[in-house]
Amino acid sequence: VIRRNPFGMDICCRKGSRSPLQELYNPTQVSLSNTAILHQIRRDQVTDTCRANSVSSRKRRVLTPNDLKHLVVDEDHEMIYCYVPKVACTNWKRVMMVLTGRGKYSDPMEIPANEAHVSSNLKTLNQYSIPEINHRLKNYMKFLFVREPFERLVSAYRNKFTQKYNTSFHKRYGTKIVRRQRKNATQEALRKGDDVKFEEFVAYLIDPHTQREEPFNEHWQTVYSLCHPCHIHYDLIGKYETLEEDSNYILQLAGVGNYLKFPTYAKSTRTTDEMTTEFFQNISSEHQTQLYEVYKLDFLMFNYSVPSYLKLE
């Protein structure tokens, strides 16, 4: 049986129809205009935070191509997505593969997770020339998804340091963390780095030496540093807490909402607020304060209040 792929011509080439950017700022549907107000509030929050914290606004940093490697481009629907690890980025990459695949994929969940992370499967903004980059930043709808910063951090820790299969992370980061943060570490721990405690991970993140040595790994890097929201004007800021509504709103704006829905998934292993609270119980107030400083801009910019479990100095 040959099934007609709904993502044939009608999804691929939207010439003549309104772009997502036009649909966002001048909605033709009432249902879209109510949501547009919510996203305007989120955009304003980012703008205000950037303005209030622009220590370097006079010598504004120019973005380099390397700064743009997290921005995935969808030419056909004129959209740019900045992916943030631990904020549903695997599923969003799958969706982007469906959108940009010209009919090659029709169901995001049929794409294996590891395939979604193969860089050659998606085109990123740093692969374009400077004029092409500027044209896309100006004319395409740009969006990203954010999450409560400490919940995202605990999620990254659980995924990278408590799963036995993540040996590359244990070798690259675990051994370094154990060497620096653990007194009297055993030879095995120094060799394997597979039993890093959350307290050691936090101590590593706030250690000035770490900051000087190399940029944070993308799984615990701030959204501020990954997506540059003070330099790039994002039209939509989706939240992990309202993932499905925000995602499907974007697909609606792109004109594909009728046949492409954002994948829902079982949240059984998901890092929750309660879980995060527990992880922070053993962190000293001094370390909590220093860690909050590292992620402070993400808290402020995306309107997350200071967690009630924190004992800030």
Side-chain angles (χ1 to χ4, degrees):
V1 182
I2 298 173
R3 279 191 316 176
R4 185 178 160 274
N5 183 350
F7 300 100
M9 276 308 294
D10 41 354
I11 194 170
C12 119
C13 314
R14 30 176 319 125
K15 299 298 163 255
S17 60
R18 286 160 60 84
S19 74
L21 210 52
Q22 291 167 323
E23 199 54 67
L24 172 67
Y25 292 108
N26 300 295
T28 47
Q29 299 172 42
V30 178
S31 62
L32 294 182
S33 58
N34 298 337
T35 317
I37 297 165
L38 165 74
H39 286 280
Q40 179 63 55
I41 293 167
R42 290 181 185 174
R43 280 196 298 276
D44 291 345
Q45 178 77 21
V46 171
T47 309
D48 294 347
T49 309
C50 290
R51 203 173 287 140
N53 294 278
S54 65
V55 197
S56 58
S57 60
R58 281 190 302 284
K59 51 178 200 301
R60 184 175 160 176
R61 196 165 79 78
V62 176
L63 294 179
T64 64
N66 193 44
D67 291 321
L68 306 174
K69 60 179 189 283
H70 273 248
L71 280 80
V72 175
V73 181
D74 172 1
E75 293 286 352
D76 296 328
H77 304 91
E78 301 189 348
M79 298 197 300
I80 295 174
Y81 159 58
C82 183
Y83 69 90
V84 177
K86 306 313 299 170
V87 194
C89 86
T90 305
N91 278 353
W92 254 112
K93 283 181 177 179
R94 285 169 162 147
V95 169
M96 293 299 274
M97 281 172 73
V98 172
L99 290 172
T100 58
R102 305 262 170 135
K104 191 173 165 190
Y105 313 95
S106 60
D107 178 1
M109 292 318 275
E110 279 175 8
I111 301 171
N114 58 342
E115 207 177 304
H117 297 295
V118 174
S119 54
S120 58
N121 282 334
L122 291 165
K123 195 158 187 192
T124 47
L125 198 57
N126 59 338
Q127 295 168 3
Y128 292 84
S129 69
I130 304 288
E132 288 173 330
I133 289 172
N134 289 333
H135 171 77
R136 280 156 186 74
L137 284 175
K138 189 174 165 208
N139 296 292
Y140 286 16
M141 183 176 85
K142 299 165 295 299
F143 67 95
L144 78 163
F145 275 78
V146 299
R147 182 178 186 176
E148 202 280 340
F150 285 170
E151 195 180 285
R152 178 177 163 241
L153 190 66
V154 168
S155 176
Y157 166 77
R158 288 178 66 215
N159 179 248
K160 298 303 169 197
F161 294 107
T162 68
Q163 305 289 344
K164 289 295 171 208
Y165 60 81
N166 265 323
T167 48
S168 61
F169 264 84
H170 303 156
K171 279 266 185 291
R172 172 138 194 227
Y173 296 100
T175 53
K176 192 186 291 181
I177 294 170
V178 170
R179 190 172 69 246
R180 270 201 221 149
Q181 309 299 339
R182 190 179 301 177
K183 290 184 177 72
N184 313 319
T186 65
Q187 283 308 306
E188 189 184 21
L190 289 165
R191 193 179 75 251
K192 284 187 171 173
D194 62 352
D195 64 344
V196 170
K197 297 183 180 69
F198 185 64
E199 298 87 294
E200 294 170 330
F201 178 51
V202 168
Y204 161 78
L205 293 175
I206 58 178
D207 182 346
H209 187 85
T210 306
Q211 302 269 7
R212 283 195 302 272
E213 189 177 51
E214 59 178 346
F216 274 4
N217 176 277
E218 59 174 21
H219 290 84
W220 47 87
Q221 181 59 280
T222 60
V223 178
Y224 172 76
S225 304
L226 287 176
C227 295
H228 314 285
C230 290
H231 299 282
I232 294 170
H233 171 81
Y234 286 93
D235 303 289
L236 275 164
I237 294 143
K239 292 203 161 188
Y240 194 70
E241 296 77 14
T242 49
L243 177 62
E244 277 168 49
E245 302 95 290
D246 292 344
S247 299
N248 289 322
Y249 174 58
I250 290 166
L251 295 174
Q252 238 180 315
L253 291 169
V256 301
N258 294 341
Y259 30 80
L260 180 57
K261 292 277 176 276
F262 191 77
T264 55
Y265 57 96
K267 297 188 172 73
S268 55
T269 57
R270 220 200 94 181
T271 301
T272 59
D273 187 44
E274 294 75 44
M275 220 179 268
T276 307
T277 305
E278 247 167 77
F279 272 92
F280 271 85
Q281 275 177 343
N282 298 330
I283 307 296
S284 70
S285 58
E286 184 193 355
H287 280 189
Q288 287 185 4
T289 306
Q290 289 172 287
L291 191 69
Y292 179 76
E293 280 304 314
V294 174
Y295 292 93
K296 187 178 177 179
L297 275 179
D298 280 6
F299 275 100
L300 297 173
M301 202 168 274
F302 307 116
N303 207 15
Y304 288 108
S305 49
V306 178
S308 55
Y309 55 77
L310 284 194
K311 312 178 284 285
L312 297 183
E313 292 193 331

